[in-house]
């Protein structure tokens, strides 16, 4: 989904709770990874791997100048013979520690091995965010969660909400802190002001 479609979607959602909710969740995500300099782990369920969210977060990290948003995609069935980005398994979640952020995307509650590892990550000090699931033990372990229930009036699905979250995370990136502007920068700014056309009176 490109920037134009995201903008149109936001117009449709104006006046609903979804714009504020996705921005709050994106702010929690961004604030967590930026404050610790990165360490974002992204995992889905055995039946739902968040490939598109991973790709959009990588794009937003590049466009916004916030490399901390680029995630490590954790897979339930990693390919040990494939590229490095496809070979990170659930053991990486178990090893997560303070300063790392774990984003779990689950259309519904999870159990078994993933739930145990999320618990280990939280106990190790990682911040846990959950997107999708509305209730259950996974949500109770989360520091922040955004539920996407079925049957929404606007037919917002999990994929669409992921687009809104990733776009908001990139937009709200913490600006790069720069030092004082030098003499040439100030001179260039003054020249721009002096050579600008006068404002229209009509």
């Amino acid at each position: 989904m490109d920037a134009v479609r995201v903008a149109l979607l936001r117009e449709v959602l104006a006046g609903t709770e979804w714009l504020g909710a996705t921005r709050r969740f994106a702010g929690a995500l961004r604030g967590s990874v930026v404050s610790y300099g990165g360490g974002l782990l992204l995992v889905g369920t055995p039946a739902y791997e968040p490939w598109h969210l991973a790709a959009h977060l990588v794009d937003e990290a590049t466009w916004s100048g916030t490399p901390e948003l680029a995630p490590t995609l954790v897979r339930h069935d990693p390919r040990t013979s494939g590229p490095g980005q496809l070979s990170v398994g659930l053991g990486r979640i178990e090893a997560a520690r303070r300063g790392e952020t774990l984003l779990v995307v689950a259309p519904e509650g999870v159990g078994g091995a993933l739930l145990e590892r999320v618990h280990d990550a939280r106990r190790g000090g990682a911040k846990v965010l959950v997107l999708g699931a509305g209730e259950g033990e996974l949500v109770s372990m989360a520091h922040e969660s955004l539920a996407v229930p079925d049957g929404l009036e606007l037919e917002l699905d999990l994929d669409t909400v992921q687009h809104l979250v990733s776009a908001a995370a990139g937009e709200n990136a913490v600006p790069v802190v720069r030092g004082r502007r030098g003499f040439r920068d100030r001179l260039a700014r003054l020249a721009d002001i002096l050579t600008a056309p006068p404002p229209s009176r009509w």
Side-chain angles (χ1 to χ4, degrees), residues 72-94:
T72 296
L73 181 63
V74 178
R75 307 190 66 212
H76 290 262
D77 184 22
R79 309 282 172 81
T80 54
S81 60
Q85 67 268 27
L86 300 181
S87 60
V88 179
L90 292 179
R92 178 63 183 87
I93 297 174
E94 187 178 354

Side-chain angles (χ1 to χ4, degrees), residues 7 32 37 55 61-63 75 96 102 154 161 164 172 184:
S32 177
T62 301
W63 295 333
R75 307 190 66 212
L102 174 61
L154 296 168
V161 172
L164 291 170
N172 295 317
R184 288 186 182 184

Side-chain angles (χ1 to χ4, degrees), residues 178-202:
R178 306 189 189 282
R180 286 186 61 193
R181 290 190 299 177
F183 174 73
R184 288 186 182 184
D185 291 332
R186 292 191 305 249
L187 188 60
R189 174 75 178 131
L190 178 61
D192 288 341
I193 293 171
L194 293 175
T195 58
S200 173
R201 295 178 179 270
W202 307 103

Side-chain angles (χ1 to χ4, degrees), residues 109-112 115-116 118-119 128 130 133-142:
V110 301
L115 194 61
E116 290 175 16
V118 172
H119 184 266
V128 177
V130 173
E135 55 187 20
E137 196 172 347
L138 176 63
V139 174
S140 68
M141 281 193 286

Side-chain angles (χ1 to χ4, degrees), residues 20-116:
T22 54
R23 284 199 164 113
R24 279 191 298 275
F25 188 81
L29 171 62
R30 183 196 68 253
S32 177
V33 298
V34 169
S35 62
Y36 284 103
L40 175 59
L41 304 174
L42 174 63
V43 67
T45 66
Y48 185 90
E49 284 194 319
W51 288 98
H52 282 92
L53 180 57
H56 285 297
L57 285 171
V58 168
D59 288 343
E60 293 295 340
T62 301
W63 295 333
S64 67
T66 313
E68 299 90 348
L69 283 173
T72 296
L73 181 63
V74 178
R75 307 190 66 212
H76 290 262
D77 184 22
R79 309 282 172 81
T80 54
S81 60
Q85 67 268 27
L86 300 181
S87 60
V88 179
L90 292 179
R92 178 63 183 87
I93 297 174
E94 187 178 354
R97 293 294 176 260
R98 181 172 177 78
E100 294 184 294
T101 302
L102 174 61
L103 174 55
V104 184
V105 181
E108 52 194 33
V110 301
L114 178 57
L115 194 61
E116 290 175 16

